[in-house]
Amino acid sequence: MTTDTPASVKMEAIVSLAKRRGFIFPSSEIYGGFGSTWDYGPVGVELKRNVKDAWWRSMVRQRDDIVGLDAAILMSPSVWETSGHVASFSDPLVDCLSCKQRFREDELQQDACPTCGSSEGFTSARQFNLMFKTHVGPVEDEGALAYLRPETAQGIFVNFGNVLTATRRRLPFGIAQQGKAFRNEITPGNFIFRTREFEQMEIEFFVHPDTAAEWYTRWIEIREQWYVDLGLRAENLRRRVHPQEELSHYSAGTTDLEYRFPQGWAELEGIANRTDFDLKAHAEASGQRLSYFDQESGQHVVPYVIEPSAGADRALLAFLVDAYTVEPDENGNDRVVLKFHPRLAPYKVGVLPLSRKQPLVEMARNVWSRVRSHWATQYDDSQSIGRRYRRQDELGTPCCVTVDFDSLDDHAVTIRDRDDQAQERVRVEDLVDALRMRLEC
Ligand code: ATP
């Protein structure tokens, strides 16, 4: 068996499959594309939704100490002044003296230009602020300036008081949010790994300062386990503790969860101890009290914050790469199969009638409607059954249900398993239960 491991999976193979099967398309493609922006197609949108839903389910619904929020992308510019983003959310930008191409200085690994190979050198670094600016309202002056948020976290901090009052939470508790963030990255690339518009899944977990170190460790474990539970192979995940000199201005400790992407090990998610930096800064700048009244000690406490900050697109890429497998099919030919965890698989069941003739079609449609009310499905009646299996393998569909001519007599259908290609005959009336056993693990 020639099973590809993620290290040997080429990004080109992923990009090509993603386009061919409707996961991800280059944005504005008919106009030649638009630098490092991508659109999720019919399959990709299901996958992304599943990634976000799995996160929401584990982090919000299944916990009793986290509530959700959905703040606006456009916020008062004061938020970004106070948070430090206006002054220091920047990367060091250098230009190649020969070809003028721009790079992030901290990403250059050699003296020669990675684009033209010239050794002429680079300009000295200048700080490039990554926030996108826009103007709100009909007048384009400084007074109407606004930023597209570069992280979702600040929407949580500025709503801390609202959530506390509305929910009467006690420490420790968290606020979770998913949503778009925008960064004018100097060097986007590696498919959806680094883009200028992306989606984050962030939790701000507020704790008593004395327990921050303990919660920081706990959150690293919880978040790592989340990926493993959803099928990421543990050997493709590792932790990287940021050295002191690398820490952001607000952080007392940051650990990245890194994944072995096709381009190498790189950050999948960051877990930071943000201390009381943000709440204190916003309290001071806004004049509002952003603290918690601790009944036991009778004192107001400004909580510390542990922040697990993940990217939905980056997580999706990791799941896609990790699921990508090339192995022999029933006939010894190569088949590409995406071995997604059933919870993440874009479609759970493919319904495949063996023929387009009546009365088989009517029965197949009947079977389909039984299954469709439970899971995301695909009905596929074109080309040979072998081809249809291959197609569903490439979509990562865990179960195919084949309706054949015997089905008309025995009222049974065949379930074909994506991973071991084993087939099982089940009665139509038992089908939903049989699928549930396989899908809801
Ligand atoms: P880097 O150092 O790689 O630029 P970062 O440390 O600034 O990233 P964070 O601010 O910690 O990233 O963002 C939290 C998460 O958001 C990241 O772990 C990643 O999953 C996601 N993310 C950040 N920037 C991007 C981007 N440009 N494209 C896609 N996802 C991103």
Side-chain angles (χ1 to χ4, degrees), residues 234-392:
E235 70 262 28
N236 294 324
L237 269 178
R238 72 178 188 193
R239 298 177 185 183
R240 188 178 76 84
V241 180
H242 285 213
Q244 194 67 30
E245 65 274 13
E246 212 186 292
L247 292 179
S248 318
H249 56 283
Y250 52 73
S251 177
T254 298
T255 297
D256 288 345
L257 295 179
E258 292 191 333
Y259 178 73
R260 192 143 53 114
F261 287 99
Q263 75 271 21
W265 288 98
E267 176 180 337
L268 178 60
E269 165 161 357
I271 296 108
N273 176 352
R274 281 180 90 126
T275 68
D276 55 6
F277 174 86
D278 300 270
L279 287 182
K280 269 201 171 144
H282 285 304
E284 196 178 300
S286 66
Q288 306 284 319
R289 192 201 285 270
L290 294 178
S291 59
Y292 167 85
F293 183 68
D294 184 24
Q295 306 230 333
E296 269 167 43
S297 64
Q299 286 182 334
H300 284 276
V301 179
V302 180
Y304 267 38
V305 175
I306 309 303
E307 177 192 73
S309 173
D313 313 83
R314 218 175 262 189
L316 183 150
L317 180 60
F319 287 123
L320 192 57
V321 168
D322 219 75
Y324 186 95
T325 314
V326 184
E327 62 182 28
D329 68 6
E330 295 94 333
N331 305 317
N333 300 318
D334 270 0
R335 68 166 187 150
V336 172
V337 50
L338 295 180
K339 295 191 171 178
F340 289 126
H341 186 284
R343 193 181 293 288
L344 297 183
Y347 304 109
K348 314 300 181 205
V349 185
V351 177
L352 317 178
L354 215 59
S355 143
R356 283 182 175 170
K357 297 209 176 91
Q358 290 295 9
L360 198 104
V361 169
E362 192 188 333
M363 181 172 181
R365 295 219 151 234
N366 233 309
V367 167
W368 185 30
S369 74
R370 270 179 194 248
V371 179
R372 210 167 55 198
S373 57
H374 298 274
W375 299 285
T377 60
Q378 271 218 327
Y379 184 89
D380 188 357
D381 63 1
S382 66
Q383 299 183 307
S384 74
I385 193 72
R387 282 228 171 144
R388 283 184 265 165
Y389 284 152
R390 285 305 81 75
R391 219 156 31 224
Q392 293 303 323

Side-chain angles (χ1 to χ4, degrees), residues 104 183 185 192-195 198 200 267-270 309-311 314:
R104 248 173 81 170
R183 296 181 187 179
E185 299 279 3
I192 54 168
F193 176 82
R194 188 183 302 286
T195 49
F198 55 97
Q200 288 190 313
E267 176 180 337
L268 178 60
E269 165 161 357
S309 173
R314 218 175 262 189

